[in-house]
């Protein structure tokens, strides 16, 4: 687990197995971990959103989710063993929690989606203790939701809310959640509940998950990815050029 800095942001050069083992050991020791994944869109948005950047930088574990970031970091000379996708890490941590008897809490999405997700993960991981769940539309009374999480006895909290809301919520309330581990998982509940299909594996490996999302939701996604991907490409060119100049000197 080595920390690197890419495009001005800290992140870990780590494998999935290393990440899961690290998280498991910290939870077992009762040590709090705030987790986040970074992808192309988040790296771009962090440069203009100071609160998001502060929330990400405050995390203890920052994994690379997105082949664009993996390839970009490698192009700039960093060793990155693999992508640690948030949805895959979520499933790995549920399997670990079921094995270790760690209770979890699911927060986010619509009520019917998080309820369905709860049913699905209980079936997928026999023995998994879901201490509680709540939908993601609670902004008029955040303190009550935080209290419910704290009183549930959960050790792991998964927050399926869009960025930057989830990062800022976690960073704001982390000291009052009463859990040992908290992770933002974005649209993962929609995938687990079967509301949204995940891209085929070949598209994931080719770094084309963003394109699959655009195909599924063109009206909402095309502009977002056009802007962020274009900005990321320009930032990558500048970073590579800066590295080349440093090597030359």
């Amino acid at each position: 687990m080595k920390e690197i800095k890419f495009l001005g942001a800290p992140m870990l050069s780590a494998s999935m197995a290393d990440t899961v083992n690290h998280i498991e050991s910290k939870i077992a020791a009762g040590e709090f971990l705030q987790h986040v994944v970074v992808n192309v869109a988040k790296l771009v948005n962090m440069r203009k959103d100071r609160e998001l950047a502060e929330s990400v930088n405050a995390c203890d574990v920052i994994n690379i989710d997105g082949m664009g970031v993996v390839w970009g970091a490698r192009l700039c000379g960093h060793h990155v063993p693999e992508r640690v996708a948030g949805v895959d890490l979520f499933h790995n941590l549920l399997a670990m929690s079921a094995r270790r008897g760690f209770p979890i809490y699911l927060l986010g999405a619509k009520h019917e989606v998080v309820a369905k997700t709860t049913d699905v993960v209980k079936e997928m991981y026999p023995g998994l203790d879901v201490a509680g769940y709540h939908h993601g539309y609670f902004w008029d009374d955040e303190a009550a939701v935080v209290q419910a999480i704290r009183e549930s006895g959960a050790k792991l909290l998964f927050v399926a809310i869009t960025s930057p809301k989830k990062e800022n919520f976690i960073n704001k309330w982390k000291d009052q959640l009463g859990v040992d581990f908290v992770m933002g998982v974005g649209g993962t509940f929609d995938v687990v509940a079967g509301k949204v299909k995940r891209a085929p594996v070949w598209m994931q490996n080719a770094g084309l998950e963003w394109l699959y999302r655009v195909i599924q939701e063109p009206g909402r996604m095309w502009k977002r990815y056009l802007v962020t991907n274009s900005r990321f490409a320009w930032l990558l060119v500048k970073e590579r050029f800066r590295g080349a100049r440093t090597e030359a000197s």
Side-chain angles (χ1 to χ4, degrees):
M1 300 268 290
K2 177 184 177 183
E3 183 176 291
I4 63 173
K5 200 159 191 177
F6 174 56
L7 297 182
M11 58 194 72
L12 288 177
S13 169
S15 68
M16 178 68 74
D18 288 339
T19 301
V20 174
N21 290 338
H22 177 69
I23 293 169
E24 180 179 359
S25 66
K26 292 296 184 181
I27 294 172
E31 298 180 30
F32 176 76
L33 285 180
Q34 182 180 355
H35 179 279
V36 73
V37 294
V38 290
N39 54 22
V40 165
K42 196 171 294 181
L43 284 181
V44 169
N45 291 330
M46 283 169 60
R47 301 179 78 86
K48 61 181 180 180
D49 186 333
R50 179 175 295 181
E51 186 178 9
L52 173 61
E54 290 175 352
S55 296
V56 171
N57 291 334
C59 291
D60 305 291
V61 179
I62 305 174
N63 281 127
I64 299 174
D65 179 351
M67 288 306 300
V69 181
V70 172
W71 291 334
R74 287 173 178 172
L75 182 65
C76 293
H78 298 291
H79 170 70
V80 179
E82 63 180 345
R83 169 194 182 196
V84 181
V87 62
D88 296 327
L89 180 58
F90 172 72
H91 281 290
N92 276 274
L93 291 176
L94 292 188
M96 180 273 292
S97 296
R99 176 172 51 83
R100 293 296 303 266
F102 295 154
I104 71 162
Y105 197 103
L106 304 175
L107 174 66
K110 294 181 178 179
H111 173 76
E112 59 270 23
V113 172
V114 67
K116 176 66 173 177
T117 299
T118 300
D119 292 339
V120 170
V121 298
K122 282 183 175 180
E123 184 175 348
M124 291 180 71
Y125 304 101
L128 179 65
D129 180 3
V130 180
Y133 65 87
H134 195 283
H135 63 75
Y137 301 88
F138 56 86
W139 304 109
D140 56 337
D141 198 358
E142 294 180 46
V145 172
V146 170
Q147 181 177 352
I149 295 168
R150 184 171 60 250
E151 292 177 351
S152 74
K155 285 185 174 290
L156 293 87
L157 168 64
F158 299 98
V159 183
I161 299 171
T162 56
S163 182
K165 279 188 175 181
K166 66 177 178 294
E167 290 86 2
N168 296 338
F169 168 79
I170 291 169
N171 200 44
K172 175 182 177 181
W173 294 102
K174 60 185 178 184
D175 294 331
Q176 300 178 53
L177 291 167
V179 298
D180 294 321
F181 174 82
V182 57
M183 171 187 179
V185 293
T188 294
F189 294 177
D190 287 335
V191 175
V192 175
K195 183 181 177 183
V196 174
K197 289 185 179 180
R198 193 176 180 194
V201 174
W202 72 266
M203 292 189 81
Q204 296 175 37
N205 294 336
L208 294 174
E209 270 191 293
W210 64 271
L211 179 59
Y212 192 79
R213 292 196 66 188
V214 171
I215 293 170
Q216 289 190 92
E217 302 179 81
R220 190 168 75 91
M221 293 295 182
W222 77 268
K223 187 175 181 180
R224 167 184 163 183
Y225 283 111
L226 175 64
V227 171
T228 56
N229 286 1
S230 298
R231 288 179 178 169
F232 178 76
W234 176 237
L235 291 170
L236 186 56
V237 168
K238 292 196 295 183
E239 182 81 2
R240 187 69 185 93
F241 182 68
R242 186 181 300 114
R245 285 192 303 176
T246 302
E247 291 171 6
S249 62

